[in-house]
């Protein structure tokens, strides 16, 4: 029991973390993952995604007991009735979550005990792009600003370095800053 | 009442939609929006975003009565315990939601009544990038595939054109395919 407790830092079982790293290092094909979402339109700006199954480490992962159902919507000014956060806000949530988890895992691996990780994100958008009123402004955010507030048993320099490592390792930060090829097709 | 009903197509009040388009066309500065997320780490891969306030159409929008609280997590194989979808899945949800709402609004504006909009999204990732085990693979998805199933009172060609217009107008599709500048700082 005490051995297990020593392994757990920031709620992360570092024994399992290092074992996972070793396993993927030894068998790189275990690193191939596929994540999935099924979305269904409900009405107006209200739609819902169901998230459950995924492929990981050489096979279908069936460890999740329940699916996650997530709603989306728009506020009144964008002709919705707040059935959920809007898609741009959901992207900010994905980015915040990924940077935070990356930071927490890096801290656990490096022996830093965190007491606080908070972040505020802002995205600036000229909606004339998405509304089709101007070809001179883009549809999405012009820029996103993230401000972290991190506390733990390490120097300010070490905590700052954790933020830098989180940026360097975050999957969503990579996708949002560098872009991804997206193929959109229709069912036959 | 009957007038109002005629204005509503696919759950979208097209009278309000066209009035909004006219207002932003007349006063382009009304198009400046800012969306925000506040995220707080809870434990391990568990963190939570709170989403409520935003700036829109020349001022702070206070129309939302309640905040949205959204959890994130990781499955067991990524050293979590399923406290929420993982960040990569959340990005797919944001993308699905945005493409779907864009499609539904375009259809409403063009007079197409939809009966079904469903989509399946898949993202492929070699987690050796995010785990820091290889500099040759990226952290995020190599590619994302989206498959739409759309039905309504229009020809297959028209329905296909709606999917193309959704791609051309979606804020999140723009951001995920083209990337956004993200500035990450820390609180003083």
């Amino acid at each position: 029991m005490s051995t297990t407790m020593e392994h757990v830092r920031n709620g992360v079982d570092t024994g399992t973390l290092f074992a996972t790293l070793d396993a993927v290092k030894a068998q790189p094909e275990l690193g191939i993952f596929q994540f999935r979402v099924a979305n269904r339109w409900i009405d107006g700006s209200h739609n819902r995604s169901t998230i459950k199954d995924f492929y990981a480490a050489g096979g279908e992962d069936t460890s999740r007991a329940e699916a996650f159902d997530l709603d989306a919507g728009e506020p009144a000014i964008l002709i919705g009735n707040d059935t959920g956060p809007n898609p741009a806000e959901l992207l900010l949530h994905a980015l915040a979550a990924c940077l935070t988890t990356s930071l927490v895992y890096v801290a656990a691996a490096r022996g830093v005990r965190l007491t606080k990780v908070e972040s505020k994100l802002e995205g600036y958008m000229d909606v004339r792009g998405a509304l089709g009123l101007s070809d001179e402004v883009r549809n999405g955010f012009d820029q996103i600003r993230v401000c972290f507030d991190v506390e733990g048993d390490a120097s300010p320099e070490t905590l700052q370095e954790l933020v830098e490592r989180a940026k360097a390792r975050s999957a969503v930060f990579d996708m949002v800053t560098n872009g991804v090829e997206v193929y959109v097709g229709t069912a036959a």
Side-chain angles (χ1 to χ4, degrees), chain A:
Chain A
M1 190 68 189
S2 66
T3 308
T4 302
M5 290 304 288
E6 285 166 24
H7 281 181
V8 177
R9 194 179 295 122
N10 306 327
V12 179
D13 187 323
T14 57
T16 306
L17 177 60
F18 290 126
T20 300
L21 292 172
D22 288 343
V24 178
K25 208 180 293 181
Q27 274 190 274
E29 67 272 23
L30 296 180
I32 304 300
F33 279 51
Q34 184 192 82
F35 292 109
R36 305 168 191 142
V37 161
N39 184 280
R40 185 171 63 84
W41 172 55
I42 296 171
D43 196 32
S45 59
H46 187 198
N47 61 74
R48 181 175 295 154
S49 289
T50 300
I51 300 172
K52 186 168 189 281
D53 300 328
F54 61 97
Y55 178 96
E60 280 294 306
D61 190 298
T62 56
S63 63
R64 272 186 183 151
E66 308 256 344
F68 299 109
D69 288 321
L70 276 81
D71 284 11
E74 292 288 355
I77 199 157
L78 291 172
I79 339 284
N81 43 17
D82 283 322
T83 51
N86 85 357
E89 292 169 323
L90 292 166
L91 180 115
L92 294 180
H93 170 46
L95 179 60
C98 199
L99 284 168
T100 298
T101 296
S102 299
L103 192 159
V104 169
Y105 279 29
V106 168
R110 295 189 174 195
V112 176
R113 287 190 190 278
L114 299 166
T115 52
K116 179 186 188 181
V117 184
E118 295 184 3
S119 57
K120 292 187 187 296
L121 290 81
E122 301 173 342
Y124 306 84
M125 182 186 293
D126 185 336
V127 297
R128 287 181 298 158
L131 293 178
L133 296 175
S134 171
D135 290 330
E136 285 166 27
V137 298
R138 67 181 296 178
N139 299 333
F141 290 136
D142 290 311
Q143 63 173 246
I144 296 172
R145 290 192 171 270
V146 183
C147 184
F148 267 102
D149 185 358
V150 183
E151 295 178 5
D153 67 354
S155 68
E157 294 71 26
T158 300
L159 296 175
Q160 177 64 43
E161 171 66 12
L162 294 178
V163 174
E164 293 305 317
R165 295 312 299 164
K167 285 171 59 180
R169 287 301 163 207
S170 161
V172 174
F173 182 81
D174 167 27
M175 291 190 273
V176 170
T177 54
N178 296 316
V180 186
E181 281 185 302
V182 181
Y183 299 94
V184 181
T186 48

